Amino acid sequence: MDYRTLRSRASQDTLVSNASTALSLLELDPTPMDSPASVPYTDKDLPPLPEQPEESLSDSTHSLRSNPTTTASVGLSGAVTRIQRYSSYTFSLFTTLHLATTSVIPVLARSVPASESYLLLAREIYQTPLSEPLLVALPVVVHVGTGIAIRLIRRSQNLRRYYGDDHHHSHGKGSVPVKQTPTLRSGWPTFSYIAASGYGFTAIFAAHVFMNRGLPLLVEGDSANIGLAYVAHGFARHPLISWTSYVSLIGLGVGHMVWGWAKWVGAAQGAGWQLERHTGNAAVDKQTKKKRRRRLLVINGVAAVGCLMWAAGGLGVVARGGETLGWVGKLYDGLYEKVPGLV
């Protein structure tokens, strides 16, 4: 039997089958839809759904709907974050000028007296009655205040997320039936390195401002005689507290500013030594880990370079400038004596 014969017979069988099917469809008698006896029962009952309290069902339905309070809090958090970001831009202008006059120029001049004139010149930019509040005081207050506000807003969001609207009671309506850590129960967000270094830098920066700006104004009514020689005199007369405070100031300040800028440009979010989550693909995980470690090393490398730059002039030149003699030296001693516990 050749191929054409097989193909012809297959076509005929298909036509007969289709004709029979069409005929059987035409000959079917109409059956009422509500007659269960005429239809064989083939479906099986689905397993029952897990029991869930009525309150939980309502909460789940409520979480699917748009929550105006949650939306407002998220929008408020974003607005406060933007304000904090812009305040860091303004403060960076002052930081750049201060880095140049207290570190870069002393390194180039290799002398404290030769660097004083540049510091006095820079003060005409950032220490006027108008520029000092706008470039220094206001950005610092806004930056710290918004940082605290962001933590409070995120705590409120976490409490609402885990406990619902009645988040003042840890076991009230909407509480999660899981084992909770103290951090989860309190709702406070995790304390990152950027936040920790920021609060530490705030404390040491406040002490620095008090010693170099506030104390002379309180005692002498003026800070015109305060400059790099005043700092060098403090290192010579009170080396322990001076070295500790300035090393902390440089380390915390530079680290916070470098990591803060890395966060603003989106580099800090992908930096780390370990993976946050595994994909199951070994090649992808390995590549992601290398990328995260590379970012971590680059950011820390930039922070280390910044610390070395500031320390080269501040600790390498100014701190070794020696004490000031004469009536100016006595003036400096009188200021330092006003600080209790200074050794």
Side-chain angles (χ1 to χ4, degrees), residues 89-162:
Y89 294 167
T90 308
F91 188 73
S92 297
L93 298 176
F94 161 74
T95 305
T96 303
L97 288 173
H98 205 56
L99 171 64
T101 55
T102 60
S103 178
V104 177
I105 292 177
V107 167
L108 297 177
R110 305 301 300 172
S111 170
V112 171
S115 306
E116 289 281 16
S117 59
Y118 296 96
L119 178 62
L120 296 176
L121 182 62
R123 283 180 176 176
E124 296 298 323
I125 300 175
Y126 64 79
Q127 210 172 82
T128 66
L130 179 62
S131 62
E132 188 173 25
L134 293 178
L135 292 180
V136 185
L138 185 61
V140 170
V141 172
V142 170
H143 195 77
V144 176
T146 51
I148 297 174
I150 289 172
R151 289 189 61 82
L152 293 174
I153 293 172
R154 289 177 179 173
R155 179 178 184 267
S156 177
Q157 292 173 351
N158 290 339
L159 291 176
R160 188 175 293 108
R161 182 180 298 114
Y162 294 127

Side-chain angles (χ1 to χ4, degrees), residues 262-305:
K263 179 181 178 182
W264 294 147
V265 300
Q269 290 80 348
W273 197 252
Q274 299 296 334
L275 287 176
E276 292 182 346
R277 61 183 62 88
H278 294 271
T279 63
N281 188 319
V284 173
D285 289 344
K286 183 178 179 180
Q287 188 67 22
T288 304
K289 182 185 291 186
K290 289 177 61 177
K291 185 177 180 180
R292 286 175 58 82
R293 290 184 175 182
R294 191 183 305 116
R295 283 194 177 189
L296 178 67
L297 294 175
V298 169
I299 296 173
N300 284 335
V302 173
V305 171

Side-chain angles (χ1 to χ4, degrees), residues 190-249:
T190 56
F191 217 54
S192 64
Y193 167 78
I194 299 178
S197 62
Y199 288 113
F201 177 58
T202 300
I204 197 69
F205 179 76
H208 176 72
V209 171
F210 173 75
M211 289 297 302
N212 292 272
R213 187 77 171 129
L215 184 62
L217 289 175
L218 291 175
V219 177
E220 300 293 331
D222 189 294
S223 61
N225 294 317
I226 305 303
L228 298 178
Y230 172 70
V231 177
H233 189 82
F235 273 95
R237 301 284 288 176
H238 310 281
L240 179 61
I241 188 65
S242 296
W243 278 95
T244 302
S245 59
Y246 276 91
V247 168
S248 302
L249 180 69

Side-chain angles (χ1 to χ4, degrees), residues 44-67:
K44 296 182 180 179
D45 292 335
L46 294 174
L49 293 173
E51 295 183 0
Q52 192 172 10
E54 185 178 351
E55 293 181 351
S56 179
L57 287 173
S58 63
D59 290 340
S60 300
T61 305
H62 177 69
S63 64
L64 294 176
R65 297 194 300 265
S66 176
N67 192 331

